[in-house]
Amino acid sequence: MTVNIPASLKPSDGRFGSGPSKIRTEQIAALDAGATTLLGTSHRQTPVKQLVGSIRKGLTEFFHLPEGYEIALGNGGASAFWEIACASLITRRAAFGTYGSFSAKFAASAANAPFLEDPVLFAGKPGTYRLPELTEGVDTYCWAHNETSTGVAAPIRRVPGSLESGALTVIDGTSAAGALPVDISQTDVYYFSPQKAFGSDGGLWMAALSPAAIDRAAGVESSAHLEGARRWVPPFLSLTNALNNSRKDQTLNTPAVATLIMMENQVRWLNNNGGLDWATARCAKSASILYSWAERSDYAQPFVSDPEARSSAVVTIDLDEQVPASQVLAILRENGIVDCAGYRKLGRNQLRVGVFPSVEPSDVTALTACIDYVVEHM
């Protein structure tokens, strides 16, 4: 079926992915400028180290880091950081809030680590969240700020009693960082990849670390070197190694410099526009446009029923069975509007829209008009 959406209805930019975020024109220009000054340069040399230093300083400002907290970064993305946390942060046993595909993956890594005890799981149904509860013998509490697969945002606050027991709070902020409000003091580790709100490419991880997390990583690695220890901390998974390199404004291994260039440009853009408060307000405005549209619609409704749990970073909208999402998405793509598909493993007749800071709220309004037009003419 062919439906030609009038140009007057279309957004100025038709990219709404919940995976890689929209890359701004200024970021492409920064890559252009870096072609002769940064790309191909050793990451141990001053130009790239200055780039990394700018990112670390910019994120410290953006997140209003409490005294003593530090920004570390390394290669491999958030998936690699799950293994780093298992190797370097969890002493014996962790508790996880799991309520979707991505929040469950970190828990699976802990379950597979032969030197850790089986994790304690607090599972919630897709479309809801479940936070871990104080549990005897648990030294690390973990959950995701934003569940990308379902469009659920979970609160970030320490489990009551966890701080007193010496336990760490480790939060996956991958699709939330830069899009949702957060008080970093309520965490010991807030880690994320830069391909969402920070509009860069994947392959790197960033983490805000508390003094307690830094001390824990050093202690775990030290104990791993004791005679007879079952634990092994490979250099690539050593958080202490990553932090020591970060303090020198470099990464342990060779990074993708283009990713760093785009990340640095985005962090400066966000800070220059008003920082975290500005970014989260902008995302909340875009998300509100979508949720309000769906609630008024005859054929759409928000997937997340609890308004308090609805994400302002990734919005999920269920469509009536009489309106096949696959057909809507195909027509949108033919008209240059892309990456609005629901998470395939969730298996719902659904749209999923990334509303990160690079997305113009006016484009979100245009998207809803385009969807209405497509459904009307299908």
Side-chain angles (χ1 to χ4, degrees):
M1 175 182 294
T2 299
V3 176
N4 294 316
I5 302 174
S8 60
L9 293 181
K10 291 182 180 181
S12 61
D13 191 313
R15 293 171 292 168
F16 295 96
S18 58
S21 182
K22 183 182 298 183
I23 297 173
R24 296 178 301 108
T25 303
E26 291 83 357
Q27 290 171 285
I28 301 301
L31 283 176
D32 239 5
T36 56
T37 57
L38 289 166
L39 296 179
T41 302
S42 167
H43 69 293
R44 307 293 185 195
Q45 296 303 313
T46 298
V48 177
K49 292 173 73 172
Q50 288 175 335
L51 191 69
V52 174
S54 178
I55 292 171
R56 295 181 68 231
K57 181 179 179 182
L59 290 175
T60 298
E61 176 186 344
F62 183 80
F63 287 116
H64 310 293
L65 289 197
E67 186 175 354
Y69 280 64
E70 297 186 56
I71 295 291
L73 71 163
N75 291 342
S79 298
F81 197 86
W82 296 331
E83 310 308 328
I84 290 171
C86 290
S88 295
L89 288 171
I90 303 171
T91 305
R92 291 180 55 191
R93 195 180 200 193
F96 292 85
T98 62
Y99 32 88
S101 180
F102 294 98
S103 53
K105 288 184 177 181
F106 185 5
S109 290
N112 287 329
F115 46 78
L116 297 178
E117 297 179 13
D118 288 341
V120 182
L121 304 183
F122 294 85
K125 294 180 180 179
T128 69
Y129 65 79
R130 177 85 187 275
L131 302 186
E133 300 169 8
L134 191 67
T135 305
E136 186 176 353
V138 163
D139 55 76
T140 311
Y141 293 89
C142 314
W143 66 94
H145 193 179
N146 192 78
E147 177 49 68
T148 316
S149 68
T150 63
V152 166
I156 303 304
R157 55 176 180 260
R158 293 183 185 273
V159 174
S162 62
L163 188 63
E164 294 76 6
S165 68
L168 298 182
T169 299
V170 178
I171 301 298
D172 185 341
T174 294
S175 59
L180 301 183
V182 63
D183 177 359
I184 295 295
S185 71
Q186 290 296 306
T187 75
D188 291 293
V189 181
Y190 188 77
Y191 67 93
F192 55 92
S193 301
Q195 72 269 24
K196 308 285 186 175
F198 290 100
S200 187
D201 281 339
L204 288 173
W205 59 262
M206 316 273 168
L209 306 174
S210 74
I214 293 168
D215 289 346
R216 170 76 69 84
V220 166
E221 184 158 348
S222 177
S223 66
H225 290 120
L226 296 176
E227 185 176 351
R230 293 178 59 239
R231 195 176 195 120
W232 175 48
V233 182
F236 184 73
L237 301 182
S238 166
L239 188 55
T240 299
N241 269 357
L243 181 61
N244 287 339
N245 276 273
S246 297
R247 286 168 172 166
K248 300 173 186 176
D249 292 333
Q250 60 189 25
T251 55
L252 173 64
N253 303 96
T254 305
V257 175
T259 307
L260 292 172
I261 291 173
M262 289 188 287
M263 174 71 176
E264 193 274 341
N265 184 273
Q266 183 83 341
V267 173
R268 277 194 293 111
W269 177 71
L270 291 171
N271 280 333
N272 288 342
N273 275 291
L276 183 61
D277 289 344
W278 176 84
T280 56
R282 181 174 167 93
C283 294
K285 180 179 180 179
S286 292
S288 177
I289 291 168
L290 279 166
Y291 290 127
S292 297
W293 162 77
E295 288 172 335
R296 295 191 308 267
S297 173
D298 294 332
Y299 63 88
Q301 64 178 2
F303 169 54
V304 181
S305 58
D306 179 4
E308 295 298 317
R310 291 175 184 167
S311 171
S312 293
V314 177
V315 176
T316 47
I317 304 294
D318 277 349
L319 301 184
D320 187 271
E321 292 181 1
Q322 304 303 315
V323 181
S326 58
Q327 193 170 350
V328 173
L329 291 163
I331 295 171
L332 289 174
R333 180 167 285 277
E334 289 172 358
N335 284 271
I337 301 169
V338 299
D339 297 339
C340 300
Y343 187 66
R344 63 191 181 280
K345 292 182 181 179
L346 194 59
R348 298 184 71 88
N349 190 47
Q350 188 174 90
L351 304 178
R352 186 173 54 143
V353 182
V355 288
F356 300 113
S358 295
V359 176
E360 292 289 343
S362 59
D363 280 346
V364 178
T365 300
L367 172 65
T368 63
C370 290
I371 297 171
D372 282 340
Y373 186 90
V374 168
V375 173
E376 181 183 348
H377 291 83
M378 278 172 56

